[in-house]
Amino acid sequence: MTAYIVRRLVLLIPTLFVIMLVNFVVLQFLPGGPVEQIIAELTGEGTLITERVTRTGSSELGAQPQGAQDITGDAPRGTYRGAQGLDPAFIAELEQQFGLDKPWYERFWIMLSNYVVFDFGESFFRDQPVVELIIDKMPVSISLGIWATLLIYLVSIPLGVAKAVRDGTNFDLWTSGIVVIGTAIPGFLFAVFLLVVFAGGIYLDWFPLGSLTSENWEQLSVFEKVLDYLWHLSLPIIAFAIGGFAGLTMLTKNSFLDQINQQYVVTARAKGLPERRVLYGHVFRNAMLIVIAGFPAALAGMLFTGSVLIEVIFSLDGLGRLGFEAVFNRDYPIVLGTLFFFTLFGLLMGLITDLTYTLIDPRIDFETRET
């Protein structure tokens, strides 16, 4: 197993390299880069709010920058669209400030060299190190991912077992219909519904928005803090988890049905063991191996999918929303830094999933297979 772990860890390097390279190259072809964003703001054509431009020659955002001319003039050849009348030297200064004056391959190599020591650079427009931003936003995304995954497991496993025990009955058919309907509803659409109905949209104002805690958090007792935390997370977690019930429920049911048909179950029943002991003392333990072992991968999946829209809809300041805003602002350090974090986290969760399989069922041996 040690050799397998080492191989998987070594494979992280080329996998991360390819993923970062592909996304870095794609970013180079996206229109409206950071320089164009600032030019649009300075010429009154954009809405980007930035502090960094003040260091390029203008004392306040929106003030006429040094080197700027009448914006009705013709743009110098080779300049960005929308930069009419701006001094090419000013644009070159902007490019140098953002590190865009170097060839793309040189910038990519510098980025990788910094990422080795987890230096993600500084945000273009937030004037703050990307590492600090990730650490600051991480609690929101981690909370959503963990609690949504736990909710899915707490509902899907008992429901899947009940469906397997009552396979083919009206209960099985009705619950299958409910699960399918729940899966068919997009999480973001269900989030909007919850917001409108329960969070002060039109009808009720029962749940708060915008943070994980109330403003008087420090004055609350421990029990009140727990309730306040869960109160703030209730709607986002429900909306986040709505699409994840079907897969795990059916996996649990099918795994349970597969074990019920095994020879050891027939033998246990022939020995006169109570049906409850057969189902929950033998079948349940073996059927849950694949379900429980998949928890790390399920957690990684929850963090990767759906969190962006949920955070935006409920005004939660997490990694998903951070990356979403960074893409629109072309804040490359944040985009690539969060991508690196999520990719590394997902790859490590995949390895932990494999290790969990071997811990739960020692018969599984990844050492004998090719990686």
Side-chain angles (χ1 to χ4, degrees):
M1 179 53 65
T2 301
Y4 173 75
I5 295 175
V6 172
R7 288 200 304 270
R8 287 290 299 271
L9 291 175
V10 170
L11 280 174
L12 288 178
I13 299 174
T15 304
L16 275 172
F17 177 84
V18 171
I19 292 175
M20 298 306 298
L21 175 62
V22 170
N23 285 273
F24 186 89
V25 172
V26 168
L27 284 176
Q28 310 311 306
F29 293 95
L30 291 178
V35 175
E36 289 180 289
Q37 295 273 356
I38 288 183
I39 289 174
E41 180 66 26
L42 293 175
T43 55
E45 299 176 2
T47 58
L48 177 67
I49 303 300
T50 174
E51 298 176 3
R52 275 181 164 270
V53 71
T54 60
R55 294 182 224 154
T56 65
S58 58
S59 59
E60 295 180 1
L61 184 62
Q64 187 79 345
Q66 293 179 1
Q69 303 167 4
D70 182 3
I71 62 174
T72 62
D74 294 331
R77 181 175 300 176
T79 59
Y80 295 94
R81 185 172 58 185
Q84 289 90 344
L86 293 180
D87 190 342
F90 173 71
I91 297 175
E93 186 179 353
L94 285 176
E95 291 179 335
Q96 183 179 11
Q97 178 182 335
F98 291 116
L100 301 176
D101 56 327
K102 302 180 179 65
W104 72 268
Y105 51 84
E106 184 176 345
R107 287 185 280 121
F108 180 70
W109 176 253
I110 293 174
M111 183 192 75
L112 287 184
S113 302
N114 293 331
Y115 279 18
V116 170
V117 293
F118 291 93
D119 179 9
F120 300 144
E122 188 170 310
S123 167
F124 284 166
F125 303 119
R126 289 177 177 261
D127 201 25
Q128 189 175 352
V130 175
V131 171
E132 292 184 5
L133 286 170
I134 292 176
I135 294 175
D136 183 51
K137 313 301 182 184
M138 193 182 301
V140 174
S141 298
I142 295 296
S143 295
L144 286 176
I146 290 179
W147 288 111
T149 305
L150 287 175
L151 177 63
I152 291 173
Y153 268 72
L154 289 175
V155 173
S156 297
I157 290 179
L159 181 58
V161 172
K163 286 172 64 63
V165 174
R166 299 171 177 83
D167 184 41
T169 64
N170 289 332
F171 173 83
D172 183 32
L173 296 176
W174 279 104
T175 53
S176 294
I178 295 174
V179 169
V180 170
I181 293 174
T183 306
I185 301 175
F188 72 90
L189 187 61
F190 191 65
V192 173
F193 168 78
L194 293 176
L195 183 108
V196 170
V197 176
F198 298 107
I202 296 179
Y203 301 101
L204 305 173
D205 191 9
W206 290 353
F207 295 91
L209 301 173
S211 66
L212 296 182
T213 57
S214 299
E215 294 181 357
N216 63 335
W217 168 263
E218 297 297 334
Q219 286 73 44
L220 300 177
S221 64
V222 175
F223 179 73
E224 289 174 334
K225 286 182 178 180
V226 173
L227 291 180
D228 182 75
Y229 174 72
L230 296 177
W231 180 43
H232 280 75
L233 278 178
S234 296
L235 295 187
I237 288 175
I238 294 173
F240 201 11
I242 189 66
F245 292 112
L248 187 60
T249 298
M250 298 311 298
L251 175 63
T252 303
K253 175 187 174 181
N254 294 334
S255 179
F256 212 84
L257 288 175
D258 179 67
Q259 292 298 318
I260 287 177
N261 296 323
Q262 296 296 321
Q263 183 61 43
Y264 75 89
V265 177
V266 177
T267 303
R269 285 171 172 166
K271 290 181 178 180
L273 292 179
E275 185 68 12
R276 185 176 183 83
R277 182 176 177 184
V278 172
L279 292 177
Y280 298 101
H282 299 279
V283 175
F284 183 82
R285 180 181 59 186
N286 293 323
M288 289 302 101
L289 291 178
I290 189 173
V291 176
I292 297 174
F295 182 84
L299 174 60
M302 292 300 293
L303 291 175
F304 273 111
T305 58
S307 63
V308 176
L309 292 176
I310 297 300
E311 290 177 11
V312 171
I313 291 172
F314 288 102
S315 301
L316 295 173
D317 199 9
L319 288 176
R321 184 178 176 185
L322 175 68
F324 175 80
E325 294 175 350
V327 170
F328 275 90
N329 289 335
R330 301 297 188 266
D331 200 333
Y332 297 155
I334 292 181
V335 174
L336 295 170
T338 53
L339 173 67
F340 181 87
F341 169 79
F342 278 123
T343 303
L344 180 61
F345 181 83
L347 293 173
L348 290 176
M349 285 297 101
L351 175 59
I352 293 175
T353 298
D354 289 348
L355 298 179
T356 306
Y357 278 120
T358 61
L359 291 175
I360 294 178
D361 189 355
R363 296 172 298 176
I364 301 176
D365 184 14
F366 291 103
E367 193 75 34
T368 59
R369 78 173 192 180
E370 294 293 330
T371 303

